[in-house]
Amino acid sequence: MSNQRFYITHWCGIPPAYLRRADGTLDEARFVQMKEAGINLIAPYDHGVETNREILALCHKLGLRVTLSDHRLHAALCDEQNRRALLQSVIDDYALFPALHGYHLFDEPHRRDFRALSDTLALLWQLDPLHEGYVNLFANYVPSELLGFDDYATYVRRFVADVSPSILSYDHYHFLTDEPMPAYDIPNERERMIFESAYRKESRPGFFDNVEDIRTAAMQANIPFMVIVLLTAHGPCRDLTEAEIRFEVYQSLAYGASRLSYFTYWTPGEPNDPNDIWHWKAGMIDQLGQPTHHYGMVARVNRELQTVGDILLGKRSLGVFHVGICPDTKTTPWPGTFGDITAIAAQDLTVGCFEGGYALLASKNYEKTIVASLTVKDGKKIEQYEKTSGEWKPLIPVDGCCSVALDAGDGQLIRIL
């Protein structure tokens, strides 16, 4: 499961109707389009064994990796008697393809699912230690009935302890509209609770509390974590600006995320579907296969994310601090000095400190530019990474302070030498 670069992935890939050309061959241009958006780890639907194998071969040609879905993986979770045979059949079909990164097992488990996930992941690891078994967790704003625990931090800790995942993953959709929840008849109780919790604004725990819980559990278990961030407008989740996308990306990086996923690449559903309770719109690609305004935004952000993420990948997160406004309940204010940084002055700033003298400054203001002023220990100097050129450039102190300007929602990587 080598992870030698920062992986950028997604939910909701190319649907079956758009997967092939008229001659029946895979539409390579669709996969190139994903790559040009900055996606390097694709997560396709389960298209069946033969098509999945074609996708793996094409992705190898294009330099992409794949987290694979196959119905037998979910079947193995539910069928203890045939679990080994089901997993082995999946491995036999796919494991020798060099583009394979891992297997998607489950999304948003309840406590009752932990035992089957633990047993299945352990067996999958035994049968194929080279490829990841992937499970994604709920966000911290869903009701305890969906978690199986009274509080979210316990849910995360027990998942790590009971399931032993190789990576922690969760989704949190932070940017909302002010629209009231519409009335719908949703017979499935689980889906009804998910729908209602998406609209629960007034008591929703925050973006930062969620990543604090995930980061703490991941560091204690010495495993990486991934954040799935909002892109596609749906339900109470609004149509994001580029600055809001940058906020999600750079706050996640500042906290030490080793991978990032967008929800979603392709816009789910069908146009004008009267049964669509979520009202999906504005993924990177719309429901008719055309790029939306978000495609170009994400492509620009990902060009920077890839370079900054690659630099930070594998560097241990030493601390995450908030300068100025300290949001949520679990965040830590700037302690006054940390490492070689002796002072920081700013508003709405998150500072992620990493080994090797690296720090990521991430603006919490997604409406306007802010400026951070830093001082470092005598004899030390600061360099700033230029995301467009890929060069490190020295910051020249004025009256002992170095200033770093951050555009709305943006992040800047610095290092202290």
Side-chain angles (χ1 to χ4, degrees):
M1 292 189 298
S2 174
N3 186 6
Q4 297 180 357
R5 69 179 320 199
F6 189 91
Y7 282 129
I8 304 171
T9 186
H10 65 93
W11 283 76
C12 300
I14 305 164
Y18 291 86
L19 195 64
R20 295 186 181 275
R21 303 186 186 97
D23 64 2
T25 60
L26 286 182
D27 190 346
E28 184 173 331
R30 287 290 181 192
F31 292 85
V32 171
Q33 189 175 43
M34 296 183 81
K35 182 176 181 178
E36 290 177 347
I39 304 297
N40 56 27
L41 176 61
I42 76 161
Y45 292 102
D46 178 10
H47 296 287
V49 173
E50 292 308 314
T51 298
N52 285 347
R53 288 163 66 95
E54 288 181 77
I55 290 171
L56 285 164
L58 177 58
C59 286
H60 179 56
K61 171 186 172 183
L62 297 177
L64 301 170
R65 302 296 300 279
V66 178
T67 298
L68 197 74
S69 292
D70 187 294
H71 68 278
R72 290 170 292 177
L73 295 166
H74 188 267
L77 287 167
C78 306
D79 187 350
E80 184 176 0
Q81 182 177 354
N82 296 302
R83 183 172 291 151
R84 177 179 288 270
L86 287 164
L87 293 179
Q88 189 63 61
S89 68
V90 172
I91 292 165
D92 290 344
D93 283 333
Y94 305 123
L96 294 182
F97 284 86
L100 181 64
H101 176 79
Y103 308 99
H104 181 193
L105 288 183
F106 203 84
D107 184 35
E108 299 179 332
H110 184 276
R111 179 181 189 172
R112 71 175 73 93
D113 303 309
F114 286 8
R115 174 64 183 273
L117 285 169
S118 175
D119 292 347
T120 303
L121 279 173
L123 182 56
L124 184 63
W125 177 258
Q126 176 187 334
L127 297 173
D128 182 4
L130 299 180
H131 298 108
E132 171 186 284
Y134 171 65
V135 179
N136 178 57
L137 298 183
F138 278 112
N140 62 354
Y141 45 79
V142 303
S144 59
E145 293 91 338
L146 287 173
L147 306 177
F149 294 93
D150 290 337
D151 68 278
Y152 184 77
T154 303
Y155 169 70
V156 176
R157 288 197 302 269
R158 286 291 300 275
F159 175 77
V160 173
D162 295 353
V163 179
S164 300
S166 57
I167 184 170
L168 264 183
S169 170
Y170 77 104
D171 45 52
H172 188 111
Y173 308 142
H174 178 69
F175 291 107
L176 306 176
T177 69
D178 294 324
E179 297 175 6
M181 185 178 72
Y184 284 104
D185 180 18
I186 307 175
N188 183 287
E189 185 179 5
R190 182 178 186 272
E191 294 304 312
R192 179 185 58 76
M193 285 192 289
I194 290 173
F195 185 79
E196 291 177 353
S197 65
Y199 276 90
R200 190 178 294 117
K201 306 179 183 67
E202 54 286 337
S203 61
R204 173 178 291 188
F207 178 92
F208 293 100
D209 278 352
N210 207 151
V211 70
E212 289 276 356
D213 284 335
I214 294 290
R215 176 181 179 273
T216 297
M219 290 192 68
Q220 289 174 348
N222 195 29
I223 58 175
F225 72 91
M226 176 171 82
V227 183
I228 304 170
V229 300
L230 173 67
L231 182 68
T232 301
H234 66 286
C237 300
R238 67 179 184 246
D239 192 340
L240 300 191
T241 67
E242 184 168 330
E244 290 168 339
I245 297 170
R246 289 179 178 275
F247 168 93
E248 297 181 307
V249 165
Y250 283 106
Q251 295 299 325
S252 301
L253 271 187
Y255 269 84
S258 297
R259 193 183 304 176
L260 189 124
S261 178
Y262 291 97
F263 185 83
T264 63
Y265 177 73
W266 201 282
T267 307
E270 298 293 336
N272 305 313
D273 180 359
N275 298 315
D276 176 15
I277 64 173
W278 291 101
H279 305 299
W280 303 98
K281 62 180 180 180
M284 294 181 224
I285 305 295
D286 69 19
Q287 293 165 331
L288 298 177
Q290 298 301 310
T292 71
H293 55 287
H294 279 158
Y295 181 90
M297 293 179 187
V298 172
R300 284 190 294 273
V301 172
N302 282 348
R303 281 192 288 270
E304 301 174 6
L305 171 62
Q306 187 68 71
T307 60
V308 176
D310 283 349
I311 292 170
L312 291 178
L313 190 65
K315 292 181 173 60
R316 186 164 55 95
S317 173
L318 302 178
V320 185
F321 308 103
H322 290 259
V323 183
I325 297 172
C326 197
D328 296 347
T329 61
K330 298 182 179 182
T331 50
T332 303
W334 175 251
T337 181
F338 188 85
D340 290 325
I341 303 175
T342 56
I344 296 181
Q347 292 181 335
D348 297 334
L349 183 70
T350 305
V351 183
C353 298
F354 298 83
E355 64 183 352
Y358 292 84
L360 185 68
L361 312 180
S363 173
K364 296 193 288 283
N365 192 320
Y366 38 83
E367 295 180 351
K368 63 182 180 180
T369 297
I370 67 168
V371 176
S373 298
L374 299 87
T375 60
V376 295
K377 291 180 179 178
D378 290 344
K380 297 290 184 176
K381 63 180 182 179
I382 306 177
E383 292 185 338
Q384 178 175 313
Y385 182 69
E386 298 292 339
K387 293 177 289 189
T388 53
S389 68
E391 299 176 344
W392 289 95
K393 294 187 177 180
L395 292 177
I396 307 302
V398 176
D399 295 329
C401 290
C402 292
S403 294
V404 179
L406 296 104
D407 292 335
D410 210 2
Q412 294 290 342
L413 181 63
I414 63 171
R415 64 182 179 188
I416 302 166
L417 305 173

